[in-house]
Structures are given as structure tokens and as C-alpha cells.
Amino acid sequence: MKPKHVAQLIAILMLVFCYSYVAAEHQKKTYIVHMDKSLMPLPFSNHLKWYETTMKSVSMANNILYTYDTVIHGFSTRLTVEEVKLLKQQHGILSVHEEKIYELHTTRSPEFVGLERNNMVLPEFSSGGNDVIVGVVDTGIWPGTKSLDDTGLGPIPRRWKGTCETGKGFSKSSCNRKLIGARYFFKRYEASLNGSIEQNGESKSPLDDAGHGTHTATTAVGSPVTNASLFGYARGIARGMAPKARLAVYKACWLTDCFETDILAALEKVITDGVDVLSVSLGGSLAGYDQDSVALVTFVAVSQGIFVAFSAGNEGPTPKNIKNVAPWITTVGAGTVDRDFPAYVTLGNGKTFKGISLFTGNPLPNSFMPLVFAGNVSNNTGSSGCYPGSLPPGSVAGKIVMCEVNAYSGAQKGMVVKAAGGVGMILANPVYSLKEVEVDLHFLPTASVDKKAHDVIKSYIASDHNPKAKITFGGTKLGVQPSPLVPKFSSRGPNPITPKILKPDILAPGVTILAGWTGKRSPTQLKDDPRRVEFNIESGTSMACPHISGLAALVKAAHPKWSPAAIRSAFMTTAYYTHKNGKEILDVATGKPATPFEQGAGYVDPVSALDPGLVYDASTIDYLNFLCALNYSSTTIKIYSGGEFACIKGKKYRVEDLNYPSFAVPLPKASNGSSGQTIVKYTRTLTNVGTPETYRVVVSSKTVAVKIKVEPEVLKFVKKNEKKVYTVTFTATSLPSGSISYGRLVWTGGKYTVSSPIAFSWE
């Protein structure tokens, strides 16, 4: 054969080989390989070498993607079907399975509350409330965020009377067809300063210097943003609950204070500008309604058809600390979603604990490092909180430091540890909680762990002469169960102002929520943090409130004639309070089933709320009758009614008759000489907003101390908007002071289930 023919043959063979190789690569899929760590042969010094050798035995291409050696042990790789068969025969293999493809989400809450699965069949949810206007009273807005994109939105509704105020960092062009209004209210705040707002380093404009306002606003109505994340965590599509709704922002809170004077000025403009939904994630007053100006202004707002949602507060788990309890507003508590950011602590003795973390830098080496308890090296003997100045310079050089949770943020503790030479931190909670739900964006490798881990790690440090640990990270994990839960920070009842009105009303996603952020402040909100982000992860009832506000915009779009009370009722009577497996939602603070004092009616289910069957409606007159029942003065009633209503002398007004979708029943405690029995009656009216049905009542109770009787037991509706009245009689035995229990009153008819929580408390 001539040399040129040999060269041609070699070229052909090379092409065939390359083609075959490429074809084989296309046939490969990604697999997760679990290995039995205990079966690693003795010649191997580490697992990576073992994994590589195992792969070489089945494939020419040693294409290991990732190795795992914390919770699971093994690796991920690309293999053909034939290679998989060979691999399964290798020593130490536990399992080989093809990877699952997950659809990524960021706030996670649209899918978690059920919106995504219904977009194709519910056009009113898909449109997102095109002409509904949501007003947000908060710290302003960051106009540069992609969450305010107005692509696809039509002209601004003609009924809109608001404006786009300008100032430092904020021009007329900052507003668009999405952000249709922006105002700022500063007079009281500026008066509290020694100089001007600008001298305080803040923007005298609607510009958000704090981040809180942008986060809440975009949670409610943010436009979809693809590939959003916080340094890679929670990556996916970020969107608000009502992505097509319009936004109007009212900056009444600043970096250090929210003054009632400024808030009231903002609320006034909310009413006159023409918003449909108002979202306020601020702490409220515990004063009576005659001393609460915010309650008064929101009463006016609701009277004019504006749905008003307030956050419940973050002062749990202590009872009776709930804020914003006026019955005309919707009070929102926080619940978790099924997403987590796992981090793992492995001790030198082999024990591993799962925690959580948002850490974005270079991880620690996958090897053990010296471990120390902060209380053993602190300047202040026994202080374990890692507060600023507590660790001497160089005292923890090259070590992982265990710090205990206290009032200082985790990120701030991390800075303290880093300044003292530490290379990692275990942030341990010394107080029991069902699940660690608080997550921080850290400066150095950190894992936050619960009390169980806290106790074991602390004991290990004390008993081992050379304690060591390592910290590894698991990224973003979806499908975490049980979920939802009630986080311990969410404020609880009983209602300290009006015990016969149950608060909170409902739960919504409020833990590790990703939403828009300001370019003026770091994601940790610490001055020494130079980082800037477009999205941030935050937790609190502040995050839960705008979920309900955005969802209210969707329901408002579908039912424009529904009153604020009807919308709230739809949310409450369709909320769920058990998981799919039938088990009750748990309270993180106790590990026990959550009562209505923690969760209200339950966790919001907006798709069911669109068609609730029946609603508990209420008008301005109903709320005024409620104020009469509280024996407020004629002056107070006049202020609330504008002089157009007065309590009728001699008429019996009862708080028990306010048409609320839930029942709070305070009862007298047991005492010597009493009969030990109390009888109270509550009256309610149901309005048919669905297909006419015949409804039957079912009641349940967790206590034998209260008997519940409903009259009538059957309600037959034959037309839309028809109303039916029923009475509930509670016959209760006295129990010791502080006792609580709960039950349910449920009307069922056709496809509808109309559920109301009942909360008992013995004062």
C-alpha cells in the first residue's frame, strides 16, 4: 500500500473513532453514585482516589463531576447504559440512579402557595391583576431593579390620581407603567435629626436606602426576572404574587425610624391616590382603637373598598404580643416554605449535624480544623455570643469558633470571629426550636445549628483534648419537609386589645424569601459589608404581608366587586391547616400542632380562595357597631364615622356578632364557689358567592371542656349573593388560667369546604 493510501486510511479510522466517541458521549446521561464509605479498600488514602479508580474500571473518560462526602458519600458522573451496568458490579457501590431535573424557583412562594400549577386554567391569575394598584407604605423603592420592568403593561389606569415625586437619586423617569406612583414623607423624621436627611446620609426622595421597601414591594407585585439569585442561592425565576399589578410606593420609614406622623401622611395619600390594595409591613400600636391613628386611617381605607394587610410582628413565641389587630385589616403571620440552604458540621468524633447557611466565599478545606468554644476565650469570661470586642485579636487564629445565638446578627458575629483570626464559625442556638429557620449571609464559612447540635458540640469541645470540626455546604435544597411550619418569631395571640377577635388571620410565606433589594445597602445591612446585590433573602412577617397583598390583587382582579372583608374571608375559609398526609401544621417554638393563636385560619391557598363558595362579609356599619360594642365614647365614634353614625342608646351591641370568619372565645378561669360553666353565643352571616348548594355543618374540638352547638345545622342557598344567618353556642367548663384549646367549624356543600378556626382561652 502506498504511503498516501496509508495516510488516507489512518485519517478515515480517526474520523470513525472520533465519530464513535462523540456518538457515545451523546448517549451518556448523568448519574448519582452512592458509595459505601466503610468499604473503601485499605490501599486508598482518601475517597477521591477510590472514586477515580472505580470510574477508570468502567470508563476511559474519568469524568467525575462532583464528589460528595458529607451527608451522602459518592460522586456524580456521565455514563452510557453499558457503563452503568459495569459500575453497579464494582466493589462498594450502594446505588446508581439517573439524576432528576428540577425546575428552579427563587421566592419559591408562587409555586409553593399553588399559583404556578393553575396558570393555564385560571386566566385571572395569569394576567396578574393588570389594572389593580397595590400601595406599599415602607422605606421606598429602588427604581433600577428588573422587578419593575413594565414590558407588556398597558396604559396607566385613568382612575389613578397619584404622582411620581422626585428627589435625590429619583427622577420622573424612575416611574413607568409598573411603578406608577412614588411619594416620600419625611418631615417628622427630619425633625428628629440634628441636621437634614442628606447630612444623615439618606436620600430625600422615594429612593430606598434600606432595602426593606424594595423587598416587600417586589414580593407583592414584582415582574418576573429570570436567573435571579443571591450569590447563587435560590437561583431561578423571581416574581411577585401579582406580577401584572401596578405599584405605588409611599416612603414613610427611614434608616432609623418610622414615625406615626409620616405614616399617617402617607396613608392619607394612599386613600386619595386611588390604590386598591394596601400593604404595610410595620409594627403597630397596642393602644385601643380610640388612641390608634393608624387604625383610624385604615378604617377609612377599608370603608372606601381598599383591602388592607398588615404584618403581625416578629415578637414570638411569647403570647399576646401580636400587633395590628383592628378587625377591618388582615393581619398576616409568617410560615415557612419547602426550601432550605443546608450546611453540615462534622466533628472529629465522626458525628455530623445538619444546619443552614448562606456562605458565598471559598469553602474550608475538606479536612478537620481546630474547634473552640467562644466562651472559653472571650475577653468577658463565659461570654459565648461573639459580640464586637469579645474575642482578643489572634485568640482563635486558624480555628473554627462555636458562637451562641443572641441579639447580634450572625453576619456580625462572623466579622468578630474573622477579625480575631478565626477561619470558620458554628452559630449554635442554645434554645430549643423544632427547626432552625433563621439564615444569614456570612463572611466566613458558617453553619447555623439547633439546640440539639449545640448541646452535643459544646459537650464534645469540653470533653475532647483536641476538638476538631469541618464545615461543608449543600447549596439550595427544595422539597424540604415538613413544610409549612410556623416559625417561632411570628407574633401570636390571644388578641391583647380585643380578645373576642382572633388574630393573626392567616399565614403566608415569610421565611427565606428572595426578592428585590436596594443598591444603597449591603445584603447583611452592615456598614462594613461592601457587597451590593439586586436580590436579597429575608425572613419576617414583613415578608409574609406582601404575599397576601399581592394575592389580594389577584382576587380583586377576578372579583372587582368583592369587599375587603369578602376577600379576607375567602383567604381564611379556604386556608389549609394540615399537610397532605393529614398531620397538622406544627409550631417551631413547641414542636406541637399550631393553634389558631399562632396560625389563624391556616396557610393561604389562593387558588381555592378564588372560588370559596361562601364568604363572611362585613360593612362599615358592622365595624362601627363593633366599636359601639366596646363602649367607645360618642366622640370616638364620630371620628371614625365622620359624624354620620352614632351608637343607639339602649341598643345591645355585641363583639360576638361581628361577622368575622373565625371565632375567639375567651372564658373565665376556674375559681372557688363558681358553677364552673359558661354559656356564650356568637352569630354569623354567610353570603353565597359560588354555585348554590346545600351546606351542612361539622364541628370539632380538641377539648371536652367546651360543647359546641350550631343552629341551624343545614343552610340551603338557591341563588348568588343570598345570605343565611346561624348561631353558635359554646357551653364551657372553667379551666385553670392560661389554658388554651381550639377547634373547627366547617360548612360543606358540593365542591366547597368553608372552614373557620375556633380558639378557646381561659383568662
Side-chain angles (χ1 to χ4, degrees):
M1 184 179 291
K2 295 180 180 181
K4 69 174 183 179
H5 292 152
V6 173
Q8 289 174 346
L9 180 60
I10 292 174
I12 291 171
L13 291 173
M14 290 181 66
L15 286 172
V16 171
F17 175 82
C18 290
Y19 176 79
S20 300
Y21 180 82
V22 172
E25 285 297 311
H26 278 297
Q27 293 174 1
K28 289 184 176 182
K29 295 181 179 179
T30 304
Y31 293 86
I32 308 297
V33 183
H34 291 249
M35 306 285 285
D36 188 338
K37 184 178 181 180
S38 66
L39 295 180
M40 183 180 74
L42 292 176
F44 294 103
S45 59
N46 60 65
H47 292 87
L48 178 58
K49 291 293 184 183
W50 180 32
Y51 301 157
E52 290 175 346
T53 302
T54 303
M55 275 298 298
K56 287 177 181 178
S57 66
V58 300
S59 175
M60 292 177 60
N62 183 21
N63 51 358
I64 290 181
L65 302 177
Y66 292 97
T67 59
Y68 311 105
D69 200 29
T70 304
V71 178
I72 67 169
H73 302 285
F75 55 93
S76 60
T77 183
R78 298 274 295 171
L79 297 170
T80 65
V81 174
E82 293 301 317
E83 288 170 340
V84 170
K85 292 179 181 178
L86 290 173
L87 185 62
K88 288 182 177 179
Q89 300 172 15
Q90 303 305 305
H91 175 76
I93 297 293
L94 289 175
S95 68
V96 182
H97 67 263
E98 186 177 345
E99 73 171 356
K100 300 177 180 67
I101 306 300
Y102 289 89
E103 181 181 3
L104 293 175
H105 299 267
T106 52
T107 63
R108 182 64 177 169
S109 40
E111 182 185 35
F112 188 70
V113 299
L115 293 183
E116 300 292 346
R117 71 177 187 269
N118 288 277
N119 271 354
M120 300 304 294
V121 296
L122 295 173
E124 50 276 337
F125 276 68
S126 298
S127 65
N130 223 320
D131 286 332
V132 178
I133 303 168
V134 177
V136 176
V137 176
D138 214 296
T139 63
I141 191 74
W142 183 254
T145 177
K146 297 174 184 176
S147 298
L148 299 179
D149 181 23
D150 64 355
T151 301
L153 290 176
I156 296 172
R158 291 184 178 181
R159 58 189 174 83
W160 175 244
K161 299 180 180 66
T163 187
C164 186
E165 296 180 349
T166 62
K168 184 179 180 181
F170 206 95
S171 64
K172 286 289 185 183
S173 62
S174 297
C175 292
N176 57 15
R177 290 172 297 177
K178 177 70 173 181
L179 177 60
I180 64 173
R183 298 180 183 272
Y184 62 105
F185 304 85
F186 62 91
K187 294 180 180 178
R188 175 63 182 89
Y189 176 66
E190 191 169 58
S192 70
L193 304 175
N194 292 326
S196 67
I197 288 175
E198 288 89 347
Q199 290 175 327
N200 200 44
E202 299 181 64
S203 305
K204 199 171 186 177
S205 73
L207 192 73
D208 183 11
D209 296 305
H212 192 273
T214 302
H215 199 281
T216 56
T218 55
T219 296
V221 301
S223 301
V225 180
T226 59
N227 202 33
S229 73
L230 175 61
F231 296 123
Y233 285 98
R235 186 180 299 279
I237 300 175
R239 52 155 286 190
M241 296 296 98
K244 297 293 185 180
R246 317 299 179 124
L247 173 65
V249 298
Y250 300 82
K251 181 178 177 179
C253 286
W254 303 77
L255 284 180
T256 58
D257 288 297
C258 300
F259 286 104
E260 185 179 20
T261 307
D262 295 330
I263 293 170
L264 292 178
L267 292 173
E268 281 190 340
K269 288 297 182 182
V270 165
I271 296 171
T272 58
D273 283 350
V275 306
D276 302 295
V277 175
L278 170 61
S279 185
V280 188
S281 293
L282 306 175
S285 169
L286 284 178
Y289 308 119
D290 57 339
Q291 301 175 39
D292 188 348
S293 299
V294 172
L296 169 61
V297 178
T298 54
F299 174 91
V300 176
V302 170
S303 298
Q304 296 192 18
I306 300 172
F307 178 91
V308 179
F310 269 73
S311 52
N314 301 328
E315 298 179 22
T318 306
K320 287 189 178 181
N321 59 12
I322 191 163
K323 303 296 194 299
N324 304 314
V325 298
W328 42 87
I329 68 174
T330 299
T331 309
V332 188
T336 67
V337 295
D338 63 341
R339 182 178 61 195
D340 206 353
F341 308 101
Y344 306 95
V345 175
T346 302
L347 302 179
N349 60 11
K351 293 184 178 180
T352 296
F353 300 92
K354 178 180 177 292
I356 57 173
S357 182
L358 294 175
F359 171 66
T360 62
N362 295 323
L364 291 172
N366 190 24
S367 58
F368 289 101
M369 310 193 73
L371 173 64
V372 64
F373 179 57
N376 296 338
V377 294
S378 173
N379 279 324
N380 185 0
T381 304
S383 177
S384 57
C386 298
Y387 58 85
S390 65
L391 298 179
S395 61
V396 293
K399 298 179 181 180
I400 295 174
V401 183
M402 176 182 169
C403 303
E404 291 184 329
V405 173
N406 61 16
Y408 289 91
S409 73
Q412 192 170 19
K413 293 174 185 291
M415 297 181 87
V416 172
V417 171
K418 188 174 183 180
V423 296
M425 180 173 68
I426 299 171
L427 187 57
N429 191 347
V431 180
Y432 171 78
S433 64
L434 175 66
K435 176 188 174 188
E436 191 69 44
V437 294
E438 298 176 1
V439 61
D440 291 296
L441 184 64
H442 292 285
F443 291 97
L444 78 168
T446 298
S448 296
V449 296
D450 60 15
K451 176 170 172 50
K452 181 179 179 181
H454 164 276
D455 294 347
V456 175
I457 297 171
K458 188 174 180 180
S459 176
Y460 165 71
I461 294 173
S463 61
D464 195 291
H465 71 281
N466 186 26
K468 294 183 178 181
K470 61 181 178 179
I471 302 172
T472 53
F473 303 94
T476 302
K477 183 179 180 182
L478 303 180
V480 176
Q481 296 300 329
S483 186
L485 301 168
V486 182
K488 62 182 180 181
F489 66 75
S490 191
S491 290
R492 296 112 195 279
N495 187 331
I497 303 300
T498 320
K500 292 178 182 178
I501 301 296
L502 179 63
K503 293 287 183 173
D505 293 311
I506 198 162
L507 299 182
V511 177
T512 62
I513 303 301
L514 184 86
W517 195 248
T518 177
K520 290 289 294 294
R521 202 175 195 188
S522 71
T524 61
Q525 303 178 48
L526 298 176
K527 292 182 178 180
D528 294 334
D529 185 355
R531 297 172 295 182
R532 296 294 181 266
V533 296
E534 188 172 3
F535 294 92
N536 199 12
I537 292 175
E538 291 280 284
S539 298
T541 58
S542 283
M543 285 64 247
C545 176
H547 278 85
I548 292 298
S549 306
L551 294 173
L554 297 181
V555 177
K556 184 80 171 179
H559 302 287
K561 293 184 179 180
W562 279 13
S563 69
I567 295 173
R568 174 178 57 197
S569 174
F571 286 142
M572 291 176 66
T573 62
T574 61
Y576 65 93
Y577 44 93
T578 60
H579 301 287
K580 292 180 181 179
N581 61 8
K583 293 185 178 180
E584 294 178 88
I585 292 174
L586 301 179
D587 177 14
V588 167
T590 63
K592 299 177 181 179
T595 77
F597 292 125
E598 290 93 49
Q599 68 175 342
Y603 205 93
V604 66
D605 180 356
V607 176
S608 298
L610 189 68
D611 185 19
L614 306 173
V615 295
Y616 293 85
D617 207 354
S619 66
T620 303
I621 296 299
D622 292 319
Y623 294 129
L624 289 170
N625 287 337
F626 161 81
L627 293 173
C628 290
L630 296 177
N631 295 316
Y632 279 120
S633 68
S634 58
T635 301
T636 298
I637 301 299
K638 183 177 182 180
I639 292 172
Y640 269 85
S641 68
E644 298 180 0
F645 177 89
C647 303
I648 299 174
K649 189 174 182 180
K651 181 178 178 179
K652 187 176 182 180
Y653 296 93
R654 294 177 0 112
V655 173
E656 295 91 337
D657 294 338
L658 179 63
N659 203 35
Y660 219 71
S662 57
F663 298 85
V665 187
L667 298 163
K669 66 179 180 179
S671 59
N672 295 332
S674 66
S675 63
Q677 192 174 80
T678 301
I679 300 174
V680 292
K681 293 187 177 183
Y682 285 59
T683 301
R684 295 292 188 265
T685 302
L686 284 164
T687 302
N688 179 42
V689 294
T691 304
E693 298 283 359
T694 297
Y695 288 81
R696 289 174 171 78
V697 73
V698 177
V699 294
S700 60
S701 177
K702 294 288 185 178
T703 177
V704 296
V706 182
K707 294 181 179 180
I708 307 170
K709 183 179 181 180
V710 180
E711 298 176 300
E713 296 181 343
V714 177
L715 298 176
K716 184 177 181 180
F717 294 89
V718 297
K719 60 183 179 180
K720 273 279 187 78
N721 298 318
E722 184 179 5
K723 296 180 182 295
K724 297 285 184 180
V725 178
Y726 72 92
T727 299
V728 188
T729 301
F730 300 100
T731 303
T733 302
S734 295
L735 291 179
S737 178
S739 301
I740 64 169
S741 190
Y742 59 102
R744 283 271 162 182
L745 187 155
V746 181
W747 292 97
T748 59
K751 64 178 181 180
Y752 300 113
T753 299
V754 185
S755 178
S756 294
I758 306 171
F760 303 111
S761 59
W762 283 263
E763 300 297 334

